[in-house]
Amino acid sequence: MNGTARPPRPTPRNTPRASPMSAPDQPAPTGLSALRQRIDDIDAEVHRLLIARSEIIDQLISVKRTGEPGAAFRPAREASMMHALVERHRGHLPLVTVEHVWREVISTFTWLQAPYTVHVATGDAAETRDMARFYFGFTVPFETVAEPADAVAAVARSTSDLAVVRLGEADTAWWAALSADGAAPRVIGRLPFIAVADRPVAIPAVVVSPPLKDPVKPEVAVFACRGPADASAHAWLRKRGVEVIAWHAPWGHHTGAVGAELVIAVPLDDQDESTAAEATAERARDAGIILADLRPVGGYAAPIEARPQRP
Ligand SMILES: O=C(O)C(=O)C[C@]1(C(=O)O)C=C[C@@H](O)C=C1
């Protein structure tokens, strides 16, 4: 992870400062105009490359047959692109800035292939919407619904929409309609995807979508189940790599009771989903923690722990 401090900025060395009050018709110092020319050249190149990237969209639609109903999202491809981005990144520009630029680009490219709407619940904190905007940008339409379950229901009615739902303790088991089978909505992503200590908004959330074409086995499987709501049981599971990502405890937090509805995230490594589910329930049972009725509701690529930024 990055440290809390932002990377130090370069100290200006005898660089003439432009006064924000200077009149635009005054000739800029030679050094400054040269720097601005360089910025203009770089901007033109970045823009030219973005247009060139967008010219691939029609071919993507025909190769992926995205014209047929269904979304163009390919979460595993996006995850590998983010790994490459983290690997390439260096210098003073915060990683989170670059991530946001690419998120805007990728989610717009996805939308240009197959339009979709992102559903966010007002019952979730306002930061959830910020998180969703960070990841899906401002070109893709957003729709606000009352509750997380409404956002999931909107996805169920669509062929390509998404919901972004905040994780943690929930007032209702909004995941009841999720399933990794059939046409049901499922979890396809985990946010934030790149763990950076100084991220401005870091609300833990999942992305829910209809079933996608060309599914790839996720690195982390997500199961709905019944189990305990108490923090010590969750901490025990966490130490063993099993994360309780959401829970609804209608009857309070009874230690050891199967009184809560849970959503758990289990790294798959080389296992298939059902083996991972059985192994997880068995290990928990040995420690007196009952995880009952595990059913797969999706999965995601493991979020990236970014290393400190290289100069
Ligand atoms: O690689 C694809 O399948 C694409 O559609 C391209 C692209 C992108 O813009 O890079 C867009 C959407 C996918 O989720 C992944 C990547």
Side-chain angles (χ1 to χ4, degrees):
M1 298 252 291
N2 273 351
T4 43
R6 291 178 192 284
R9 293 199 174 74
T11 39
R13 290 188 207 100
N14 304 326
T15 313
R17 270 172 183 270
S19 158
M21 302 303 286
S22 56
D25 54 355
Q26 278 183 4
T30 323
L32 178 58
S33 53
L35 292 174
R36 285 180 175 164
Q37 186 56 56
R38 175 115 178 86
I39 287 175
D40 285 346
D41 292 347
I42 291 170
D43 283 356
E45 182 68 356
V46 169
H47 196 173
R48 189 186 66 72
L49 290 172
L50 277 175
I51 292 168
R53 197 185 198 276
S54 73
E55 284 161 2
I56 300 173
I57 283 177
D58 285 344
Q59 294 163 60
L60 278 173
I61 292 173
S62 91
V63 171
K64 290 168 67 179
R65 303 202 315 277
T66 331
E68 296 169 14
F73 306 108
R74 295 296 180 272
R77 166 71 180 150
E78 293 188 15
S80 79
M81 292 167 78
M82 290 301 113
H83 276 279
L85 183 140
V86 169
E87 207 43 54
R88 276 195 306 260
H89 192 59
R90 58 186 64 237
H92 300 292
L93 189 63
L95 175 60
V96 81
T97 308
V98 188
E99 183 192 16
H100 181 48
V101 170
W102 255 267
R103 285 305 319 164
E104 180 80 50
V105 168
I106 293 172
S107 65
T108 303
F109 273 61
T110 315
W111 179 74
L112 286 168
Q113 292 176 63
Y116 64 96
T117 296
V118 177
H119 302 269
V120 183
T122 46
D124 275 346
E127 291 95 330
T128 312
R129 194 180 167 96
D130 285 353
M131 273 295 287
R133 282 291 191 197
F134 180 93
Y135 278 98
F136 295 98
F138 282 86
T139 310
V140 173
F142 266 53
E143 202 169 281
T144 305
V145 292
E147 298 297 332
D150 302 330
V152 172
V155 172
R157 286 191 300 271
S158 82
T159 54
S160 56
D161 285 2
L162 296 181
V164 173
V165 186
R166 186 190 185 128
L167 295 174
E169 184 158 16
D171 293 338
T172 60
W174 51 263
W175 50 90
L178 300 183
S179 170
D181 294 326
R186 65 217 44 212
V187 172
I188 61 155
R190 174 75 190 261
L191 307 179
F193 190 62
I194 302 179
V196 183
D198 55 358
R199 175 182 290 285
V201 188
I203 300 294
V206 283
V207 183
V208 171
S209 100
L212 301 175
K213 288 187 191 136
D214 319 325
V216 172
K217 184 183 157 193
E219 290 172 315
V220 180
V222 180
F223 300 95
C225 64
R226 287 184 300 118
D230 66 290
S232 62
H234 294 189
W236 188 93
L237 290 165
R238 184 81 194 91
K239 273 203 197 115
R240 278 126 194 113
V242 175
E243 193 187 356
V244 179
I245 58 174
W247 64 98
H248 169 59
W251 302 290
H253 295 201
H254 302 299
T255 308
V258 194
E261 303 286 338
L262 310 183
V263 184
I264 62 171
V266 181
L268 281 179
D269 301 318
D270 291 331
Q271 307 167 95
D272 61 30
E273 274 179 356
S274 56
T275 315
E278 274 166 34
T280 301
E282 199 175 305
R283 281 179 82 191
R285 196 164 42 241
D286 291 347
I289 297 171
I290 306 297
L291 298 177
D293 306 332
L294 272 77
R295 59 184 188 87
V297 295
Y300 48 74
I304 304 172
E305 295 278 328
R307 290 196 307 269
Q309 225 161 292
R310 285 163 299 170

